[in-house]
Amino acid sequence: VDAFQAWCGPCKTVVDLFRKIRNEVGSDLLHFAVAEVDSIDALEKYRGKCEPVFLCYAVSENVVTV
């Protein structure tokens, strides 16, 4: 998940890179999402940052690992 702030938007370079990787490994293995931290209360701790934040999750037997 690319967690971004409204004033800078998602990282276009990284979005393109993840799309390329997803096409190479298959869509069943990699999912990519963007989330605007200004509008999601659960991501409040990432507001006011000036560096990119990427949240990675792994799913194993229907259990999400952060």
Side-chain angles (χ1 to χ4, degrees):
V1 179
D2 179 0
F4 68 93
Q5 293 184 82
W7 59 268
C8 65
C11 181
K12 293 177 183 175
T13 303
V14 173
V15 170
D16 290 342
L17 175 63
F18 278 120
R19 282 188 183 138
K20 180 180 176 184
I21 293 170
R22 182 175 180 229
N23 289 336
E24 290 177 6
V25 300
S27 61
D28 292 340
L29 298 175
L30 179 65
H31 299 277
F32 183 72
V34 294
E36 183 183 320
V37 300
D38 299 318
S39 62
I40 301 172
D41 290 337
L43 298 175
E44 182 178 9
K45 68 181 178 181
Y46 300 107
R47 294 177 189 160
K49 308 285 185 202
C50 64
E51 69 273 354
V53 175
F54 300 98
L55 308 171
C56 300
Y57 300 90
V59 177
S60 176
E61 297 182 26
N62 297 326
V63 177
V64 176
T65 306
V66 179

